[in-house]
Amino acid sequence: MRTMRVLGIETSCDETAVAVYDAAAGLLSHRLHSQVSLHQAFGGVVPELASRDHVKRLLPLVRQALDEADTTPKQLDGVAYTAGPGLIGALLVGVGFARSLAYAWGVPAIPVHHLEGHLLAPLLEADPPAFPFLALLVSGGHTQLVDVAGIGRYRILGESLDDAAGEAFDKTAKLLGLPYPGGAALSRLAQRGREGVYEFPRPMLDRPGLDFSFSGLKTAALVALRRDTPGALDGQARADLARGFEVAVVETLVEKTRRALRHTGHDRLVVAGGVAANRPLRGALTAMAAQEGAHIHFPRLEFCTDNGAMIALAGCHRLQAGDIAADLGVRARARWALTTEPQA
Ligand code: KG4
Ligand code: ZN
């Protein structure tokens, strides 16, 4: 019997990404075009430019992904697309495009929640986690601890009350004069920094519960910079500050995740989203999971940040579960809670 094969399309922000996933054979191809150089001069993503570039890139990427997967449209069982959350203009490009392909090819279009894509990304790896598990989702837009019972069965245990972890990385990087997107650049700078020169708060660790707050850290970085800089900080001081900031974020994420493991009793932990690419965070979470007797699962580095593979995989699972809207409506939502279904 033929298995299910799905084309996945991701356009929620500044990456145009396309992939083909097969339920039996796994990931057959993935292609990505990053818009970083397009937005860099502006210090952040310009939504209008992002939408226009998605329009330009999608068709060639789809062709390349199908060729690489040695797949014709007739062999596809569905077209999955990121329906939200994200930049509405960017989403609408992907949604309209995916819906049109699906209509032309006579297969279902499958709306996928961007965060569901992220948290299922470790299923693309050789040693995929079994359900249920605890997930720490750390991206540019979200920071959440999620109790995952199965596909579509999510309970938010805690989340950031203000900035997401990635957002705090990016804003602090900007303060340090690093180019957008600053998270990875800040982490590279921090490697040369000394621990303990700059001490930042560990937000909300002294309070019960599993929520986060990262906006105070960025403010603390700003205060430290203003205090220490009549001119510009020298290279070592900038690195020390980056290190102090990173250590505080990592420790906060690790301790809240430890609490969530104990609270839920799960012995499997999934870490996903762009900030899961952060090496000190990966190291500290791995050590904590070992102490707690839990198995830890990360996506490979390139599938921590936005990609089409996670959308194709999530879409394939949704298709297998029969969670597909019967009508031809186009669905895109800039804001969308992980715990509500796309049809809602
Ligand atoms: O998941 P993602 O690609 O996009 C969203 O869905 O938001 O995450 C992007 C975020 C950005 O804030 C970026 O700075 C951060 O992930 N990021 C990192 C690292 N790599 C990416 N943050 C810290 N350290 C890294 N190595
Ligand atoms: Zn993302």
Side-chain angles (χ1 to χ4, degrees):
M1 198 189 75
R2 211 164 62 80
T3 65
M4 281 193 179
R5 194 171 285 192
V6 170
L7 177 74
I9 293 178
E10 155 65 36
T11 63
S12 67
C13 191
D14 58 347
E15 328 272 2
T16 319
V18 176
V20 179
Y21 180 82
D22 183 283
L27 187 64
L28 299 182
S29 67
H30 61 101
R31 288 288 171 136
L32 181 142
H33 175 79
S34 167
Q35 300 179 356
V36 163
S37 58
L38 183 66
H39 301 292
Q40 210 145 41
F42 303 94
V45 180
V46 182
E48 178 69 19
L49 293 182
S51 310
R52 285 166 186 260
D53 204 54
H54 289 310
V55 172
K56 206 158 90 188
R57 306 287 172 184
L58 266 175
L59 203 47
L61 283 176
V62 166
R63 179 157 293 159
Q64 288 166 15
L66 288 176
D67 283 351
E68 191 185 315
D70 203 11
T71 294
T72 63
K74 282 197 170 50
Q75 291 170 284
L76 290 172
D77 299 282
V79 181
Y81 60 92
T82 303
L87 301 173
I88 193 66
L91 288 167
L92 282 168
V93 174
V95 175
F97 193 83
R99 170 55 85 194
S100 306
L101 287 181
Y103 183 69
W105 294 341
V107 294
I110 313 158
V112 170
H113 194 293
H114 183 76
L115 295 184
E116 177 172 67
H118 273 305
L119 70 82
L120 297 181
L123 300 183
L124 292 160
E125 303 307 330
D127 173 29
F131 297 109
F133 55 75
L134 173 72
L136 171 66
L137 267 176
V138 269
S139 72
H142 295 82
T143 300
Q144 294 184 332
L145 281 161
V146 190
D147 192 338
V148 180
I151 304 285
R153 294 168 61 206
Y154 310 121
R155 194 162 60 91
I156 309 293
L157 302 168
E159 61 191 329
S160 180
L161 304 177
D162 41 55
D163 290 355
E167 195 178 353
F169 262 98
D170 293 343
K171 287 178 174 172
T172 304
K174 204 168 185 173
L175 291 175
L176 287 167
L178 296 167
Y180 149 87
L186 186 148
S187 189
R188 276 194 299 278
L189 180 63
Q191 281 173 18
R192 292 193 281 109
R194 293 161 297 177
E195 205 172 325
V197 177
Y198 284 90
E199 280 291 350
F200 286 98
R202 280 29 174 180
M204 318 248 316
L205 268 195
D206 53 347
R207 289 195 230 164
L210 297 170
D211 286 333
F212 303 92
S213 164
F214 289 110
S215 67
L217 272 181
K218 164 203 66 196
T219 311
L222 181 64
V223 169
L225 272 172
R226 288 218 174 119
R227 186 188 59 216
D228 293 356
T229 44
L233 280 188
D234 71 28
Q236 186 57 48
R238 284 170 71 246
D240 292 341
L241 195 145
R243 180 68 176 264
F245 170 84
E246 186 177 52
V247 165
V249 175
V250 166
E251 195 181 309
T252 305
L253 290 170
V254 167
E255 288 315 313
K256 289 272 172 170
T257 307
R258 185 197 303 277
R259 263 186 222 174
L261 276 175
R262 290 182 182 174
H263 171 77
T264 56
H266 284 314
D267 61 2
R268 279 179 294 270
L269 171 64
V270 156
V271 188
V275 184
N278 182 274
R279 289 193 187 275
L281 180 65
R282 288 170 91 95
L285 283 168
T286 302
M288 181 277 288
Q291 286 163 4
E292 300 296 317
H295 290 280
I296 189 161
H297 300 264
F298 297 96
R300 73 193 78 162
L301 289 181
E302 66 180 319
F303 292 161
C304 288
T305 42
D306 293 347
N307 64 87
M310 67 186 194
I311 302 303
L313 174 132
C316 193
H317 280 278
R318 287 285 181 170
L319 189 62
Q320 285 176 314
D323 290 345
I324 304 307
D327 67 79
L328 290 176
V330 168
R331 291 182 178 75
R333 296 165 75 172
R335 292 175 174 274
W336 176 12
L338 179 62
T339 44
T340 58
E341 290 298 303
Q343 286 80 4

